[in-house]
Amino acid sequence: MRTLPKISIVIPTYNEENNIKTCLDSLLRQNYPRKLVELIIVDNGSTDNTLNILEYYMKNNQNIRLFFNNIAKDAEISKMIGLKSSKGDLFMYLDADIE
């Protein structure tokens, strides 16, 4: 029997309160086994409601982890932080406005 790979998905955020809920809801609706999907959010210093929304999702989903990019407000740096923190067999990144 073939074993399914664990997937790490990194999502950089900066003031994404209007998008992050739709993005996470879409990812959490997928048919892939939830325990094999690791969602890594790397925030770039959001000043809106993004972190409150993420806190709500993290309370209800153990597979969501939050990191902070304190280096620079740069999505590419955030992607690298996420990659270095990932534990999956496969890796991808998504923008927070993707559904």
Side-chain angles (χ1 to χ4, degrees):
M1 185 168 151
R2 190 172 144 173
T3 304
L4 293 172
K6 183 171 184 177
I7 301 171
S8 296
I9 302 172
V10 173
I11 306 168
T13 59
Y14 177 71
N15 290 344
E16 293 288 350
E17 71 179 354
N18 293 325
N19 299 312
I20 194 63
K21 182 182 182 310
T22 302
C23 179
L24 293 176
D25 285 345
S26 176
L27 290 168
L28 294 170
R29 280 193 307 267
Q30 299 303 310
N31 286 334
Y32 205 76
R34 194 174 284 187
K35 67 181 182 179
L36 295 178
V37 178
E38 170 186 48
L39 301 178
I40 300 172
I41 313 298
V42 183
D43 189 71
N44 287 298
S46 292
T47 57
D48 65 357
N49 203 32
T50 300
L51 295 177
N52 291 330
I53 294 168
L54 291 172
E55 184 178 308
Y56 169 80
Y57 277 86
M58 290 187 319
K59 284 182 184 177
N60 297 306
N61 299 280
Q62 291 80 21
N63 61 336
I64 299 176
R65 298 190 298 149
L66 175 63
F67 293 88
F68 296 94
N69 175 357
N70 297 317
I71 300 167
K73 289 181 181 162
D74 185 301
E76 297 304 316
I77 293 172
S78 294
K79 292 172 195 174
M80 293 310 299
I81 291 169
L83 174 63
K84 291 179 181 179
S85 304
S86 67
K87 299 176 183 174
D89 302 306
L90 302 173
F91 172 85
M92 68 178 293
Y93 76 89
L94 296 175
D95 292 331
D97 62 350
I98 291 178
E99 180 177 358

XYZ file of all heavy atoms in Angstrom:
803
model
N 0.842 -1.186 0.000
C 0.000 0.000 0.000
C 0.884 1.245 0.000
O 1.842 1.342 0.748
C -0.894 -0.013 1.237
C -1.876 1.095 1.262
S -3.077 0.747 2.556
C -3.508 2.379 2.984
N 0.558 2.182 -0.825
C 1.335 3.402 -0.975
C 0.995 4.403 0.124
O -0.173 4.653 0.415
C 1.043 3.989 -2.335
C 1.933 5.108 -2.705
C 1.674 5.474 -4.129
N 1.817 6.908 -4.246
C 1.790 7.557 -5.363
N 1.588 6.913 -6.473
N 1.944 8.842 -5.394
N 2.019 5.002 0.716
C 1.827 5.990 1.775
C 1.718 7.380 1.162
O 2.518 7.752 0.307
C 3.023 5.960 2.755
O 3.159 4.631 3.259
C 2.817 6.922 3.888
N 0.742 8.137 1.602
C 0.580 9.501 1.126
C 1.633 10.401 1.756
O 1.946 10.267 2.943
C -0.812 10.028 1.474
C -1.983 9.358 0.774
C -3.296 9.842 1.369
C -1.937 9.629 -0.712
N 2.169 11.364 1.006
C 3.165 12.271 1.564
C 2.526 13.355 2.427
O 1.364 13.727 2.228
C 3.816 12.890 0.326
C 2.748 12.834 -0.715
C 1.960 11.586 -0.422
N 3.306 13.859 3.373
C 2.881 15.015 4.149
C 3.205 16.264 3.340
O 4.280 16.374 2.754
C 3.597 15.062 5.502
C 3.127 16.205 6.367
C 3.674 16.134 7.768
C 3.065 17.254 8.598
N 3.499 17.184 9.994
N 2.261 17.207 3.308
C 2.413 18.424 2.517
C 2.521 19.627 3.438
O 1.705 19.804 4.344
C 1.217 18.607 1.564
C 1.101 17.407 0.629
C 1.333 19.910 0.787
C -0.155 17.401 -0.197
N 3.532 20.449 3.203
C 3.688 21.715 3.918
C 3.302 22.847 2.977
O 3.822 22.946 1.865
C 5.138 21.910 4.374
O 5.502 20.930 5.305
N 2.380 23.692 3.436
C 1.941 24.840 2.649
C 2.260 26.099 3.445
O 1.800 26.262 4.573
C 0.437 24.781 2.349
C 0.090 23.489 1.604
C -0.015 26.014 1.562
C -1.394 23.244 1.433
N 3.067 26.973 2.857
C 3.456 28.219 3.506
C 2.659 29.374 2.905
O 2.540 29.494 1.683
C 4.968 28.478 3.349
C 5.344 29.849 3.866
C 5.757 27.406 4.077
N 2.122 30.199 3.794
C 1.347 31.364 3.368
C 1.921 32.600 4.055
O 1.763 32.775 5.259
C -0.144 31.213 3.737
C -0.705 29.908 3.187
C -0.942 32.418 3.252
C -2.059 29.528 3.734
N 2.627 33.465 3.301
C 3.084 34.725 3.891
C 1.902 35.690 4.027
O 1.028 35.724 3.145
C 4.099 35.263 2.889
C 4.182 34.301 1.773
C 3.120 33.272 1.955
N 1.859 36.435 5.118
C 0.764 37.386 5.311
C 1.289 38.752 5.723
O 2.310 38.868 6.404
C -0.227 36.909 6.393
O 0.462 36.725 7.635
C -0.911 35.627 5.995
N 0.562 39.746 5.308
C 0.739 41.120 5.794
C -0.588 41.831 5.550
O -0.973 42.067 4.408
C 1.879 41.853 5.080
C 1.993 43.290 5.551
C 2.466 43.576 6.830
C 1.577 44.334 4.749
C 2.540 44.872 7.287
C 1.648 45.637 5.192
C 2.126 45.905 6.455
O 2.196 47.197 6.913
N -1.274 42.120 6.627
C -2.579 42.793 6.569
C -3.522 42.107 5.576
O -4.030 42.726 4.645
C -2.401 44.276 6.233
C -1.768 45.039 7.372
O -1.714 44.578 8.508
N -1.263 46.222 7.076
N -3.787 40.849 5.836
C -4.625 40.023 4.957
C -5.976 39.684 5.574
O -6.568 38.667 5.245
C -3.884 38.731 4.596
C -2.675 38.933 3.750
C -2.982 39.329 2.317
O -4.164 39.263 1.912
O -2.042 39.713 1.614
N -6.488 40.550 6.448
C -7.758 40.242 7.106
C -8.900 40.015 6.120
O -9.837 39.286 6.416
C -8.131 41.326 8.115
C -8.542 42.648 7.508
C -8.927 43.686 8.549
O -8.991 43.343 9.748
O -9.155 44.837 8.168
N -8.832 40.604 4.945
C -9.903 40.434 3.961
C -9.771 39.157 3.146
O -10.701 38.804 2.416
C -9.939 41.636 3.006
C -10.342 42.900 3.718
O -11.164 42.880 4.623
N -9.747 44.012 3.321
N -8.625 38.470 3.248
C -8.372 37.308 2.403
C -8.093 36.007 3.147
O -8.415 34.938 2.647
C -7.162 37.585 1.491
C -7.393 38.745 0.580
O -8.426 38.830 -0.065
N -6.439 39.656 0.529
N -7.487 36.076 4.308
C -6.931 34.866 4.931
C -8.011 33.851 5.309
O -7.796 32.641 5.194
C -6.018 35.216 6.133
C -5.196 34.019 6.545
C -6.815 35.798 7.300
C -4.226 33.512 5.506
N -9.174 34.301 5.721
C -10.240 33.362 6.095
C -10.663 32.522 4.889
O -10.771 31.294 4.991
C -11.434 34.128 6.665
C -12.565 33.226 7.125
C -13.740 34.040 7.639
C -14.860 33.186 8.155
N -15.322 32.122 7.309
N -10.864 33.151 3.747
C -11.254 32.439 2.531
C -10.175 31.439 2.125
O -10.466 30.300 1.760
C -11.520 33.436 1.386
O -12.546 34.336 1.805
C -11.941 32.724 0.122
N -8.928 31.860 2.220
C -7.807 30.986 1.869
C -7.766 29.758 2.780
O -7.698 28.619 2.306
C -6.503 31.776 1.967
S -5.021 30.823 1.585
N -7.814 29.978 4.080
C -7.747 28.855 5.023
C -8.962 27.947 4.913
O -8.828 26.718 4.949
C -7.584 29.378 6.453
C -6.260 30.071 6.752
C -6.261 30.637 8.169
C -5.083 29.136 6.537
N -10.141 28.523 4.765
C -11.350 27.708 4.607
C -11.222 26.804 3.384
O -11.589 25.628 3.431
C -12.594 28.583 4.483
C -13.020 29.197 5.799
O -12.553 28.744 6.867
O -13.817 30.161 5.763
N -10.716 27.346 2.310
C -10.542 26.567 1.089
C -9.568 25.412 1.311
O -9.822 24.278 0.906
C -10.042 27.475 -0.030
O -9.788 26.741 -1.197
N -8.463 25.689 1.966
C -7.476 24.637 2.231
C -8.022 23.568 3.168
O -7.758 22.380 2.992
C -6.198 25.244 2.817
C -5.372 26.069 1.843
C -4.292 26.851 2.588
C -4.760 25.174 0.777
N -8.777 23.976 4.155
C -9.310 23.029 5.131
C -10.462 22.182 4.575
O -10.822 21.172 5.164
C -9.751 23.766 6.400
C -8.597 24.400 7.186
C -9.140 25.305 8.290
C -7.657 23.340 7.746
N -11.019 22.571 3.434
C -12.089 21.795 2.789
C -11.550 20.707 1.860
O -12.322 19.899 1.344
C -12.994 22.708 1.968
C -14.011 23.461 2.760
C -15.066 24.090 1.860
N -14.516 24.912 0.790
C -14.316 26.225 0.873
N -14.616 26.873 1.979
N -13.826 26.883 -0.154
N -10.282 20.670 1.627
C -9.711 19.699 0.690
C -9.947 18.267 1.175
O -10.077 18.018 2.367
C -8.214 19.952 0.509
C -7.892 21.310 -0.048
C -8.557 21.580 -1.380
O -8.486 20.780 -2.303
N -9.227 22.717 -1.480
N -9.939 17.327 0.251
C -10.150 15.917 0.571
C -8.906 15.209 1.077
O -8.989 14.077 1.532
C -10.675 15.169 -0.663
C -12.115 15.503 -0.955
O -12.868 15.873 -0.067
N -12.497 15.396 -2.204
N -7.770 15.835 0.984
C -6.524 15.225 1.441
C -6.576 15.094 2.961
O -7.094 15.980 3.648
C -5.347 16.114 1.019
C -4.045 15.373 0.892
C -3.798 14.567 -0.210
C -3.064 15.479 1.859
C -2.599 13.890 -0.342
C -1.858 14.813 1.740
C -1.642 14.017 0.633
O -0.453 13.338 0.502
N -6.070 14.004 3.524
C -6.148 13.826 4.982
C -5.539 15.017 5.733
O -4.390 15.382 5.519
C -5.335 12.554 5.232
C -5.364 11.820 3.929
C -5.401 12.873 2.865
N -6.334 15.612 6.579
C -5.930 16.839 7.283
C -4.653 16.654 8.089
O -3.828 17.547 8.186
C -7.059 17.315 8.174
C -6.834 18.737 8.667
C -7.988 19.275 9.435
N -9.048 19.643 8.509
C -10.153 20.269 8.868
N -10.339 20.581 10.123
N -11.075 20.567 7.994
N -4.472 15.468 8.670
C -3.272 15.238 9.482
C -2.000 15.218 8.635
O -0.895 15.279 9.172
C -3.399 13.943 10.282
C -3.421 12.691 9.434
C -3.567 11.449 10.275
C -3.539 10.224 9.363
N -3.642 9.000 10.109
N -2.151 15.139 7.311
C -0.989 15.136 6.416
C -0.751 16.491 5.751
O 0.079 16.606 4.860
C -1.149 14.056 5.343
C -1.165 12.613 5.845
C -1.388 11.646 4.697
C 0.137 12.290 6.573
N -1.477 17.506 6.194
C -1.299 18.853 5.648
C -0.876 19.778 6.778
O -1.570 19.906 7.785
C -2.588 19.374 4.990
C -2.392 20.795 4.486
C -3.027 18.460 3.866
N 0.260 20.406 6.595
C 0.800 21.358 7.562
C 0.678 22.752 6.947
O 1.224 23.012 5.877
C 2.267 21.011 7.823
C 3.021 22.022 8.612
C 4.497 21.670 8.685
O 5.109 21.357 7.643
O 5.022 21.727 9.792
N -0.075 23.624 7.603
C -0.219 25.001 7.131
C 0.694 25.885 7.982
O 0.560 25.939 9.207
C -1.663 25.460 7.247
C -2.694 24.638 6.473
C -4.095 25.169 6.721
C -2.368 24.624 4.998
N 1.611 26.553 7.319
C 2.569 27.429 8.004
C 2.296 28.856 7.556
O 2.436 29.182 6.374
C 4.014 27.035 7.662
C 4.287 25.596 8.095
C 4.997 28.005 8.314
C 5.617 25.055 7.625
N 1.892 29.686 8.489
C 1.653 31.092 8.206
C 2.867 31.868 8.714
O 3.289 31.684 9.853
C 0.388 31.611 8.924
C -0.797 30.665 8.757
C 0.071 33.034 8.502
C -1.276 30.452 7.373
N 3.408 32.731 7.859
C 4.530 33.575 8.276
C 4.077 35.026 8.107
O 3.886 35.497 6.987
C 5.809 33.298 7.454
C 6.959 34.151 7.988
C 6.174 31.820 7.510
N 3.876 35.695 9.230
C 3.348 37.058 9.202
C 4.479 38.083 9.148
O 5.505 37.947 9.819
C 2.466 37.321 10.418
C 1.741 38.629 10.280
O 0.815 38.710 9.441
O 2.124 39.597 10.973
N 4.263 39.116 8.366
C 5.236 40.181 8.152
C 4.924 41.435 8.962
O 5.216 42.540 8.523
C 5.292 40.544 6.666
C 5.981 39.496 5.842
O 7.149 39.229 6.035
N 5.256 38.895 4.923
N 4.295 41.281 10.121
C 4.009 42.441 10.969
C 2.652 43.069 10.714
O 2.518 44.295 10.732
N 1.654 42.250 10.511
C 0.304 42.763 10.248
C -0.169 43.686 11.365
O 0.075 43.433 12.546
C -0.689 41.600 10.112
O -0.432 40.862 8.945
N -0.857 44.750 10.965
C -1.411 45.702 11.931
C -2.929 45.712 11.900
O -3.552 46.475 12.632
C -0.880 47.122 11.647
O -1.219 47.481 10.302
C 0.633 47.190 11.841
N -3.524 44.875 11.070
C -4.975 44.780 11.006
C -5.449 43.586 11.835
O -4.791 43.178 12.792
C -5.452 44.703 9.552
C -4.987 43.427 8.845
O -4.252 42.636 9.451
O -5.386 43.229 7.677
N -6.522 42.965 11.474
C -7.124 41.867 12.239
C -6.602 40.484 11.833
O -7.115 39.470 12.288
C -8.650 41.938 12.073
C -9.385 41.252 13.188
O -8.937 41.224 14.327
N -10.528 40.688 12.859
N -5.579 40.422 10.979
C -5.062 39.151 10.480
C -4.686 38.205 11.605
O -5.057 37.025 11.598
C -3.836 39.384 9.563
O -4.234 40.187 8.452
C -3.257 38.071 9.069
N -3.950 38.670 12.589
C -3.479 37.790 13.666
C -4.620 37.262 14.524
O -4.577 36.112 14.978
C -2.433 38.501 14.516
C -1.140 38.852 13.776
C -0.192 39.625 14.683
C -0.467 37.613 13.221
N -5.654 38.061 14.735
C -6.824 37.585 15.483
C -7.542 36.474 14.727
O -7.983 35.495 15.324
C -7.791 38.736 15.762
C -7.234 39.735 16.738
O -6.438 39.396 17.609
N -7.621 40.982 16.589
N -7.652 36.625 13.428
C -8.278 35.591 12.606
C -7.446 34.312 12.657
O -7.974 33.212 12.834
C -8.449 36.089 11.156
C -9.445 37.254 11.117
C -8.893 34.949 10.236
C -9.476 38.013 9.805
N -6.130 34.459 12.532
C -5.248 33.286 12.590
C -5.318 32.596 13.947
O -5.318 31.366 14.023
C -3.810 33.702 12.288
C -3.546 34.140 10.855
C -2.148 34.705 10.723
C -3.768 32.989 9.888
N -5.400 33.377 15.000
C -5.506 32.797 16.346
C -6.747 31.916 16.456
O -6.695 30.820 17.017
C -5.562 33.920 17.383
C -5.575 33.435 18.810
C -5.570 34.599 19.790
O -4.705 35.474 19.659
O -6.446 34.612 20.678
N -7.863 32.368 15.914
C -9.087 31.585 15.920
C -8.880 30.251 15.196
O -9.255 29.183 15.699
C -10.232 32.371 15.272
C -11.447 31.526 15.000
C -12.347 31.236 16.025
C -11.676 30.990 13.740
C -13.458 30.437 15.793
C -12.778 30.195 13.497
C -13.662 29.922 14.517
O -14.753 29.117 14.286
N -8.282 30.295 14.023
C -8.057 29.071 13.249
C -7.085 28.129 13.949
O -7.258 26.916 13.918
C -7.551 29.403 11.838
C -8.680 29.741 10.905
C -9.167 31.032 10.822
C -9.270 28.768 10.120
C -10.218 31.351 9.974
C -10.312 29.067 9.267
C -10.793 30.361 9.207
O -11.829 30.651 8.370
N -6.074 28.668 14.587
C -5.086 27.812 15.260
C -5.694 27.112 16.474
O -5.294 25.997 16.794
C -3.857 28.630 15.656
C -3.055 29.049 14.442
S -1.459 29.848 14.783
C -1.796 30.902 16.133
N -6.664 27.719 17.117
C -7.328 27.082 18.255
C -8.093 25.838 17.818
O -8.254 24.901 18.583
C -8.306 28.062 18.924
C -7.640 29.094 19.770
C -8.685 29.985 20.414
C -8.031 31.089 21.199
N -9.015 32.020 21.775
N -8.578 25.849 16.588
C -9.422 24.764 16.092
C -8.709 23.802 15.145
O -9.318 22.851 14.681
C -10.646 25.355 15.395
C -11.508 26.147 16.349
O -11.910 25.639 17.377
N -11.749 27.401 16.032
N -7.444 24.065 14.839
C -6.688 23.236 13.899
C -5.250 23.103 14.369
O -4.484 24.065 14.289
C -6.712 23.860 12.494
C -8.114 23.982 11.955
O -8.668 23.014 11.475
N -8.689 25.170 12.052
N -4.885 21.929 14.802
C -3.535 21.706 15.300
C -2.483 21.726 14.189
O -1.305 21.814 14.457
C -3.431 20.380 16.056
C -4.171 20.355 17.368
C -5.668 20.126 17.203
O -6.125 19.613 16.189
N -6.431 20.525 18.194
N -2.915 21.663 12.950
C -1.957 21.603 11.850
C -1.616 22.982 11.278
O -0.992 23.082 10.238
C -2.465 20.684 10.735
C -3.770 21.156 10.133
O -4.527 21.879 10.762
N -4.040 20.752 8.915
N -1.993 24.058 11.970
C -1.647 25.414 11.554
C -0.622 25.961 12.533
O -0.837 25.970 13.745
C -2.875 26.336 11.513
C -3.905 25.808 10.518
C -2.464 27.767 11.165
C -5.198 26.604 10.479
N 0.504 26.408 11.978
C 1.549 27.012 12.815
C 1.815 28.434 12.331
O 1.763 28.710 11.140
C 2.839 26.193 12.758
C 2.629 24.780 13.305
C 3.922 24.024 13.485
N 4.618 23.845 12.226
C 5.949 23.785 12.124
N 6.717 23.891 13.179
N 6.514 23.599 10.942
N 2.119 29.317 13.269
C 2.354 30.723 12.965
C 3.790 31.094 13.319
O 4.265 30.800 14.412
C 1.375 31.606 13.742
C 1.547 33.108 13.631
C 1.335 33.579 12.193
C 0.581 33.817 14.580
N 4.455 31.737 12.362
C 5.801 32.267 12.568
C 5.773 33.748 12.202
O 4.851 34.211 11.530
C 6.817 31.533 11.679
C 6.998 30.095 12.056
C 6.183 29.119 11.506
C 7.969 29.718 12.967
C 6.329 27.791 11.849
C 8.120 28.391 13.322
C 7.306 27.429 12.761
N 6.788 34.464 12.633
C 6.873 35.887 12.344
C 8.161 36.199 11.607
O 9.232 35.703 11.970
C 6.793 36.701 13.638
C 5.474 36.548 14.328
C 5.303 35.597 15.326
C 4.392 37.323 13.969
C 4.088 35.423 15.956
C 3.159 37.158 14.590
C 3.007 36.213 15.580
N 8.042 37.013 10.583
C 9.196 37.494 9.851
C 9.576 38.837 10.455
O 8.950 39.853 10.182
C 8.854 37.646 8.363
C 9.984 38.265 7.572
O 11.007 38.643 8.104
N 9.782 38.376 6.276
N 10.605 38.836 11.296
C 11.072 40.059 11.934
C 12.263 40.654 11.203
O 12.872 41.601 11.686
C 11.441 39.771 13.390
C 10.240 39.320 14.190
O 9.161 39.877 14.063
N 10.406 38.292 14.990
N 12.607 40.091 10.053
C 13.762 40.545 9.292
C 13.387 41.732 8.413
O 14.020 42.782 8.461
C 14.331 39.391 8.437
C 14.757 38.239 9.361
C 15.488 39.858 7.574
C 15.037 36.941 8.640
N 12.384 41.556 7.587
C 11.917 42.601 6.667
C 10.534 42.231 6.165
O 10.184 41.059 6.123
C 12.875 42.737 5.485
N 9.748 43.203 5.789
C 8.424 42.936 5.210
C 8.631 42.480 3.770
O 8.519 43.257 2.825
C 7.559 44.180 5.279
C 7.134 44.510 6.678
C 6.267 45.730 6.736
C 5.923 45.980 8.191
N 5.448 47.304 8.446
N 8.934 41.205 3.629
C 9.289 40.650 2.337
C 8.754 39.231 2.250
O 9.141 38.360 3.040
C 10.812 40.664 2.192
C 11.270 40.213 0.836
O 10.954 39.067 0.444
O 11.973 40.987 0.158
N 7.876 38.984 1.283
C 7.254 37.665 1.147
C 8.284 36.582 0.845
O 8.127 35.440 1.285
C 6.183 37.696 0.065
N 9.324 36.911 0.107
C 10.346 35.908 -0.225
C 11.086 35.445 1.030
O 11.367 34.252 1.184
C 11.325 36.462 -1.261
C 10.685 36.793 -2.596
C 9.952 35.627 -3.225
O 10.484 34.496 -3.225
O 8.830 35.843 -3.726
N 11.393 36.359 1.923
C 12.028 35.983 3.198
C 11.066 35.126 4.008
O 11.461 34.119 4.605
C 12.474 37.231 3.982
C 13.606 37.939 3.231
C 12.907 36.859 5.398
C 14.003 39.281 3.802
N 9.794 35.502 4.013
C 8.796 34.724 4.747
C 8.682 33.310 4.200
O 8.534 32.348 4.957
C 7.434 35.418 4.688
O 7.492 36.641 5.371
N 8.759 33.164 2.893
C 8.712 31.829 2.292
C 9.887 30.976 2.761
O 9.730 29.784 3.047
C 8.712 31.935 0.771
C 7.452 32.531 0.207
C 7.612 32.768 -1.281
C 6.526 33.675 -1.800
N 6.725 34.031 -3.208
N 11.048 31.583 2.864
C 12.231 30.843 3.329
C 12.098 30.459 4.802
O 12.496 29.369 5.202
C 13.501 31.652 3.087
C 13.829 31.828 1.612
S 13.806 30.296 0.649
C 15.067 29.347 1.447
N 11.545 31.350 5.612
C 11.296 31.025 7.024
C 10.357 29.819 7.092
O 10.571 28.882 7.864
C 10.700 32.240 7.771
C 11.762 33.335 7.911
C 10.142 31.826 9.142
C 11.220 34.664 8.398
N 9.321 29.833 6.285
C 8.370 28.723 6.247
C 9.016 27.437 5.770
O 8.790 26.366 6.344
N 9.824 27.517 4.732
C 10.505 26.330 4.212
C 11.392 25.708 5.280
O 11.363 24.493 5.497
C 11.332 26.691 2.980
C 12.210 25.573 2.413
C 11.360 24.406 1.927
C 13.092 26.105 1.295
N 12.154 26.523 5.972
C 13.060 26.013 7.005
C 12.299 25.433 8.198
O 12.850 24.614 8.932
C 14.007 27.112 7.456
C 15.004 27.483 6.379
C 15.925 28.594 6.811
C 16.880 28.929 5.685
N 17.783 30.026 6.025
N 11.062 25.848 8.377
C 10.246 25.358 9.498
C 9.377 24.177 9.103
O 8.752 23.559 9.966
C 9.337 26.480 10.003
O 10.094 27.596 10.364
N 9.318 23.859 7.825
C 8.400 22.824 7.351
C 8.901 21.421 7.693
O 10.091 21.180 7.807
C 8.193 22.959 5.845
O 9.383 22.658 5.151
N 7.941 20.527 7.825
C 8.228 19.131 8.157
C 7.681 18.170 7.110
O 7.759 16.967 7.275
C 7.631 18.795 9.521
C 8.198 19.627 10.654
C 7.512 19.313 11.955
C 8.044 20.204 13.061
N 7.299 20.019 14.297
N 7.125 18.715 6.048
C 6.477 17.884 5.047
C 7.434 17.249 4.059
O 8.600 17.631 3.950
N 6.918 16.263 3.349
C 7.656 15.621 2.261
C 7.599 16.485 1.006
O 8.520 16.467 0.184
C 7.041 14.251 1.954
C 7.030 13.348 3.173
O 8.098 13.159 3.778
O 5.938 12.852 3.526
N 6.502 17.203 0.844
C 6.303 18.116 -0.278
C 6.077 19.510 0.272
O 5.496 19.679 1.345
C 5.102 17.690 -1.127
C 5.160 16.291 -1.722
C 3.836 15.948 -2.398
C 6.306 16.172 -2.711
N 6.510 20.503 -0.487
C 6.425 21.891 -0.038
C 5.831 22.751 -1.136
O 6.133 22.575 -2.316
C 7.830 22.395 0.307
C 7.899 23.857 0.609
C 7.632 24.314 1.878
C 8.229 24.769 -0.378
C 7.685 25.673 2.165
C 8.283 26.128 -0.101
C 8.014 26.570 1.175
N 4.982 23.694 -0.725
C 4.486 24.698 -1.668
C 4.153 25.963 -0.903
O 4.027 25.938 0.318
C 3.248 24.196 -2.426
C 2.026 24.036 -1.565
S 0.553 23.502 -2.461
C 0.223 24.910 -3.480
N 4.072 27.060 -1.614
C 3.600 28.274 -0.973
C 2.420 28.826 -1.742
O 2.280 28.615 -2.938
C 4.711 29.308 -0.810
C 5.078 30.033 -2.071
C 4.416 31.206 -2.437
C 6.079 29.561 -2.912
C 4.739 31.863 -3.606
C 6.404 30.219 -4.068
C 5.732 31.371 -4.415
O 6.059 32.020 -5.562
N 1.575 29.525 -1.009
C 0.407 30.183 -1.582
C 0.342 31.615 -1.061
O 0.736 31.881 0.072
C -0.889 29.486 -1.156
C -1.115 28.051 -1.613
C -2.394 27.511 -0.984
C -1.202 27.987 -3.131
N -0.169 32.498 -1.870
C -0.463 33.835 -1.383
C -1.773 33.784 -0.604
O -2.617 32.923 -0.859
C -0.588 34.820 -2.549
C 0.738 35.056 -3.241
O 1.791 34.942 -2.573
O 0.736 35.353 -4.442
N -1.953 34.691 0.319
C -3.123 34.668 1.195
C -4.414 34.977 0.463
O -5.496 34.722 0.991
C -2.920 35.653 2.348
N -4.328 35.494 -0.747
C -5.559 35.811 -1.487
C -5.954 34.702 -2.464
O -6.823 34.896 -3.305
C -5.425 37.135 -2.214
C -4.328 37.153 -3.253
O -3.517 36.200 -3.300
O -4.262 38.130 -4.020
N -5.346 33.547 -2.326
C -5.679 32.414 -3.204
C -6.748 31.557 -2.532
O -6.670 31.237 -1.361
C -4.423 31.582 -3.511
C -3.476 32.397 -4.391
C -4.797 30.269 -4.190
C -2.197 31.709 -4.723
N -7.741 31.178 -3.322
C -8.803 30.313 -2.803
C -8.699 28.963 -3.488
O -8.585 28.858 -4.678
C -10.163 30.936 -3.062
C -11.297 30.098 -2.564
C -12.649 30.755 -2.748
O -12.729 31.890 -3.231
O -13.634 30.107 -2.410
